[in-house]
């Protein structure tokens, strides 16, 4: 295996020159969102810089502290100090911005007996204003952000508005009795526990009228269930107003359809009533405060599709204004809208209706899965990019969508490749993954690397199975995984820079940020097939019009065929892969691509 890996790496290094250095720190605020290459990290799983905070200041066993480095669903010890200490590594990968998994104080442990897990991931918030002690202190957060900014790197915080930790309980629900969603027709706000119940909340005309006077009439939360807060957690949430059940929907578990999508509890998590103007003002105050205190450069917003559009229509402009007041002109906001369809109608809807500046590009990821980790033709990318017109600002919105191949929820791309082609050689698996990286780092959007992908991590599935430690792991189901591009395992730290995937990503990331055609350039499809094989696009320097032809081969057989280019593009230089030095005729260049190969060819004049 290693001989094949070495061959791939050697070819890559020969074809991808080291490009311009990272822009000076003083310039980083002026970069547009599409100028970045993002690195996504869950701090608990990255590096342990301070073992004294592993238990978050709590005493007892794992079910109290949440700390168990041998269990995939508990805290492992990574923290903000460790992340700061590894900024050299992150920058060596060529990334320019860090998407930081949630760092707010979380409920340490929740879940039914025997099914407990911890809030290591950061999505079970109790205190929206403080850093979780497992991850460090406010001073550690400030030191991290300042250190990143000092290197010219941006920091995007992962935030949550849709829900809090599971604190509120329902008297009708017990262990083994599910809290099924109860809709507004069968359980209206003005009746207790159903249409035949006692009259409550007189004068409340429904959650569609978002005025303070209307919501002042909503005083009794027992319209669907009877919510209560256990005595031990009566004041656990911060700010204090979040402890009142009246600011939650209290309608039971979502089924992810119809009204339950925005009003149901996500896996039992307390679903915040974001229609209430008190909540809108409160959330603007909370997250505006993080901008004021740390001068972060953007927000990734979790579970964005599960919040009513009117909330986002107020929240997003308020955050952009707060950022601008803090001297942050290009604050990047992107929502998580998890939808697995190559055609991006659902994603685009949230930029039009909710007014999100951008969303995570799940459609891009799906196109990669169906082609490189599947057998679909490259016309999948035509369907994907034709949909760019649907976004709020068309291709201008599409240009700032963070693209990705895998993540901490859905799983790593390498996992899908190995699952789809279990009989393939390690060399083929590596080439397929490298091809996906090439697409990610050269096509439109903002490429986002999930930490560990550059080290060849291959999880068993999504969620907890895709959240491996970068530092030496003690989790058996992580350590038995066979990685890509290396013979090592996750039993030892994974911060080396020799894996061919690391070398490839680093080379292409620097290539991307040094060529405006690859960050800000208009993209034109040149070739695609209904079967696996060629996909080619041209991207154009926005200042000079210079063409860069980018081509990919998703098939297991070599390709040699002409591809259309501008007639002014006659002489080409290979930025990656192998390119013909000259056009074969005006408007045509001959491409030769090996199986699962790619090439980036820059025209010398225009």
């Amino acid at each position: 295996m290693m001989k094949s890996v070495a061959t791939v790496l050697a070819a890559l290094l020969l074809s991808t020159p080291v490009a311009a250095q990272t822009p000076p720190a003083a310039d980083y605020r002026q970069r547009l969102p599409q100028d970045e290459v993002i690195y996504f990290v869950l701090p608990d799983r990255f590096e342990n810089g301070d073992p004294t905070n592993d238990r978050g200041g709590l005493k007892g066993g794992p079910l109290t502290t949440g700390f168990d480095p041998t269990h995939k669903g508990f805290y492992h010890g990574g923290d903000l100090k460790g992340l700061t200490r590894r900024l050299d590594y992150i920058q060596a990968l060529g990334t320019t911005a860090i998407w930081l998994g949630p760092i707010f104080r979380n409920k340490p442990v929740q879940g039914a007996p025997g099914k407990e897990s911890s809030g290591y991931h950061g999505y079970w918030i109790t205190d929206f204003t403080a850093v979780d002690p497992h991850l460090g202190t406010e001073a550690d957060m400030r030191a991290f952000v300042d250190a990143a900014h000092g290197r010219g790197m941006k920091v995007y915080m992962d935030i949550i508005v849709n829900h809090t930790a599971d604190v509120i309980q329902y008297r009708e629900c017990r262990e083994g009795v599910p809290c099924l969603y109860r809709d507004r027709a069968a359980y209206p706000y003005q009746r207790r526990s159903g249409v035949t119940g006692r009259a409550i909340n007189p004068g409340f005309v429904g959650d569609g009228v978002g005025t303070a006077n209307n919501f002042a009439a909503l005083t009794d939360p027992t319209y669907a269930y009877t919510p209560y807060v256990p005595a031990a957690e009566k004041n656990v949430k911060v700010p204090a107003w979040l402890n009142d059940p009246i600011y939650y929907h209290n309608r039971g578990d979502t089924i992810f359809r119809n009204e339950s999508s925005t009003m149901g509890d996500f896996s039992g998590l307390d679903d915040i009533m974001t229609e209430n103007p008190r909540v809108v003002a409160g959330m603007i105050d909370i997250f505006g405060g993080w901008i004021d205190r740390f001068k972060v450069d953007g927000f990734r917003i979790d579970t964005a599709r599960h919040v009513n559009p009117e909330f986002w229509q107020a929240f997003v402009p308020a955050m952009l204004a707060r950022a601008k007041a803090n001297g942050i002109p290009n604050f990047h906001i992107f929502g998580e809208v998890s939808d697995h369809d190559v055609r991006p109608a659902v994603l685009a809807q949230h930029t039009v209706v909710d007014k999100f500046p951008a969303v995570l590009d799940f459609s891009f990821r799906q196109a990669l899965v169906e082609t490189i980790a599947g057998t679909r033709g490259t016309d999948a990318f035509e369907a994907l990019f034709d949909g760019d017109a649907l976004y709020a600002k068309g291709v201008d919105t599409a240009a700032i969508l963070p693209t990705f191949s895998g993540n901490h929820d859905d799983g790593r791309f390498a996992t899908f490749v190995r699952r789809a082609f279990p009989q393939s050689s390690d060399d083929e698996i590596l080439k397929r993954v490298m091809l996906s990286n090439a697409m990610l780092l050269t096509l439109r959007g903002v490429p986002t690397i999930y930490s560990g992908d550059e080290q060849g991590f291959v999880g068993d599935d999504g969620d907890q199975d895709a959240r491996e430690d970068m530092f030496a792991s003690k989790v058996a189901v992580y350590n038995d995984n066979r990685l890509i591009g290396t013979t090592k395992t996750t039993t030892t730290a994974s911060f080396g820079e020799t894996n061919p995937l690391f070398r490839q990503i680093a080379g292409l990331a620097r290539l991307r940020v040094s060529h405006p055609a690859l960050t800000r350039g208009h993209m034109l499809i040149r070739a695609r097939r209904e079967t696996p094989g060629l996909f080619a696009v041209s991207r154009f320097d926005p200042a000079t019009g210079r063409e860069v032809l980018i081509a990919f081969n998703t098939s297991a057989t070599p390709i040699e065929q002409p591809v259309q280019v501008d007639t002014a593009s006659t002489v080409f230089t290979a930025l990656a892969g192998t390119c013909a030095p000259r056009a074969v005729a005006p408007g045509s260049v001959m491409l030769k691509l090996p199986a699962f190969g790619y090439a980036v060819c820059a025209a010398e004049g225009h």
Side-chain angles (χ1 to χ4, degrees):
M1 178 186 77
M2 298 312 294
K3 182 177 180 181
S4 297
V5 168
T7 301
V8 172
L9 177 56
L12 171 70
L13 295 178
L14 286 172
S15 62
T16 306
V18 175
Q21 297 299 307
T22 303
D27 298 336
Y28 76 96
R29 293 283 195 207
Q30 302 308 314
R31 297 198 305 258
L32 298 179
Q34 58 266 46
D35 295 338
E36 312 300 337
V37 177
I38 302 171
Y39 189 71
F40 169 48
V41 57
L42 289 174
D44 176 68
R45 301 301 168 91
F46 195 68
E47 176 67 300
N48 193 349
D50 184 2
T52 66
N53 63 30
D54 288 354
R55 292 171 174 79
L58 302 172
K59 297 184 183 301
L63 294 182
T64 300
T65 68
F67 177 69
D68 182 353
T70 69
H71 193 300
K72 67 180 180 179
F74 281 71
Y75 285 98
H76 291 175
D79 52 32
L80 290 165
K81 283 184 178 178
L83 183 57
T84 305
R85 192 169 74 188
R86 292 291 186 179
L87 284 173
D88 278 346
Y89 169 83
I90 296 173
Q91 199 161 34
L93 187 61
T95 53
T96 64
I98 298 172
W99 160 9
L100 179 65
I103 48 85
F104 313 100
R105 184 188 292 266
N106 266 230
K107 187 171 182 176
V109 179
Q110 65 182 45
K115 299 180 180 179
E116 300 94 345
S117 60
S118 81
Y120 70 92
H121 42 65
Y123 296 106
W124 298 344
I125 303 173
T126 53
D127 187 344
F128 283 79
T129 68
V131 174
D132 191 293
H134 291 86
L135 305 179
T137 65
E138 183 164 316
D140 294 335
M141 176 63 174
R142 181 164 288 106
F144 162 67
V145 176
D146 289 349
H149 284 169
R151 294 166 175 264
M153 301 183 77
K154 294 183 180 180
V155 176
Y156 301 148
M157 288 183 68
D158 197 322
I159 71 169
I160 302 94
V161 167
N162 177 64
H163 58 264
T164 71
D166 183 13
V167 173
I168 298 172
Q169 306 299 310
Y170 304 138
R171 298 200 182 279
E172 293 82 356
C173 303
R174 305 177 304 280
E175 180 64 27
V177 179
C179 293
L180 300 176
Y181 184 77
R182 292 182 170 179
D183 64 69
R184 290 175 294 183
Y187 295 87
Y189 288 109
Q190 290 199 26
R191 292 292 184 272
R192 173 169 291 174
S193 301
V195 293
T196 61
R198 181 171 65 82
I200 58 173
N201 300 319
F204 182 64
V205 297
D207 51 54
V209 179
T211 65
N213 285 340
N214 180 44
F215 274 88
L218 182 65
T219 59
D220 189 335
T222 62
Y223 38 82
Y225 285 100
T226 308
Y228 72 97
V229 177
E233 297 181 296
K234 184 177 180 181
N235 297 307
V236 72
K237 294 181 184 178
V238 180
W241 60 267
L242 283 164
N243 292 298
D244 191 339
I246 202 65
Y247 296 117
Y248 299 82
H249 287 119
N250 303 309
R251 289 188 172 275
D253 290 340
T254 182
I255 57 173
F256 303 101
R257 297 191 303 275
N258 304 321
E259 72 175 57
S260 85
S261 180
T262 58
M263 295 189 174
D265 296 342
F266 194 115
S267 300
L269 299 167
D270 300 347
D271 197 71
I272 300 172
M273 186 177 275
T274 46
E275 297 85 357
N276 191 318
R278 174 67 183 88
V279 172
V280 177
M283 288 297 176
I284 288 173
D285 185 57
I286 287 168
F287 293 111
W290 285 93
I291 299 173
D292 293 342
R293 286 152 60 197
F294 298 100
K295 307 298 188 287
V296 294
D297 305 282
F299 289 152
R300 178 268 191 185
I301 302 181
D302 182 67
T303 51
R305 71 183 304 175
H306 302 301
V307 175
N308 58 303
E310 295 81 5
F311 176 89
W312 299 126
Q313 292 164 12
F315 181 85
V316 168
M319 294 301 99
L320 294 175
R322 195 71 157 259
K324 193 164 292 185
N326 277 279
I328 310 168
N330 295 308
F331 195 80
H332 194 22
I333 296 178
F334 49 102
E336 180 208 25
V337 178
S338 181
D339 185 78
H340 300 83
D341 192 327
V342 168
R343 296 184 181 275
V346 172
L347 300 183
Q349 169 188 324
H350 290 270
T351 69
V352 175
V353 178
D354 298 18
K355 308 299 184 185
F356 267 107
V359 292
L360 280 167
D361 197 346
F362 278 83
S363 291
F364 183 94
R365 179 257 184 190
Q366 190 64 24
L368 293 180
V369 169
E370 293 185 15
T371 55
I372 304 174
T375 58
R376 183 169 175 177
T378 59
D379 58 336
F381 293 101
E382 181 180 48
L384 167 70
F385 295 128
D386 279 352
D388 286 355
L390 301 176
Y391 289 99
K393 296 180 181 179
V395 295
D396 290 339
T397 297
I400 64 171
L401 304 179
T403 51
F404 65 101
S405 60
N407 66 17
H408 61 312
D409 289 328
D410 287 8
R412 297 185 183 276
F413 186 75
T415 304
F416 283 85
V417 173
R418 191 169 275 170
R419 183 181 299 165
F421 303 101
Q423 305 304 316
S424 293
S425 67
D426 289 338
D427 183 53
E428 179 180 324
I429 299 297
L430 175 63
K431 287 177 178 177
R432 286 181 182 270
V433 173
M434 294 180 88
L435 180 59
S436 74
N437 289 338
M439 287 189 162
L440 180 65
L441 285 155
T442 59
L443 296 174
R444 71 98 179 102
V446 190
T448 304
I449 310 298
Y450 177 33
S451 62
D453 281 356
E454 76 277 12
Q455 296 293 338
F457 283 13
V458 182
D460 295 315
D461 209 330
D463 199 77
Q464 294 181 5
D465 288 316
R467 298 173 180 178
E468 303 95 326
D469 303 306
M470 292 288 286
F471 56 99
S473 182
K474 298 179 181 179
V475 180
V477 295
Y478 294 163
N479 293 339
D480 67 0
N481 293 339
R482 186 162 52 92
L483 308 188
I484 294 175
T486 180
T487 58
K488 79 177 290 294
T489 70
T490 52
T491 57
T492 58
S494 299
F495 294 106
E497 299 179 14
T498 59
N499 189 299
L501 293 169
F502 183 99
R503 302 290 294 275
Q504 181 209 22
I505 291 170
L508 288 177
R510 289 185 171 86
L511 180 70
R512 180 184 181 91
V513 301
S514 64
H515 287 78
L518 301 182
T519 54
R520 303 185 183 188
H522 166 68
M523 193 174 74
L524 176 65
I525 294 176
R526 293 297 197 183
R528 87 321 174 253
R529 288 182 176 178
E530 286 77 20
T531 57
L534 180 64
F535 180 68
V537 303
S538 288
R539 302 195 68 181
F540 300 89
D541 187 298
T544 67
R546 182 186 181 197
E547 181 173 9
V548 177
L549 178 66
I550 314 167
F552 314 93
N553 179 7
T554 66
S555 74
T557 57
I559 288 174
E560 181 175 0
Q561 75 173 70
V563 172
Q564 183 183 3
V565 292
D566 278 8
T567 55
S569 299
T570 58
V571 178
F572 291 87
T573 299
L575 302 180
T578 301
C579 303
R582 300 190 65 85
V584 293
S588 182
V589 65
M590 185 64 69
L591 279 177
K592 295 182 180 180
L593 294 174
F596 311 116
Y598 61 92
V600 182
C601 309
E604 291 189 4
H606 195 274

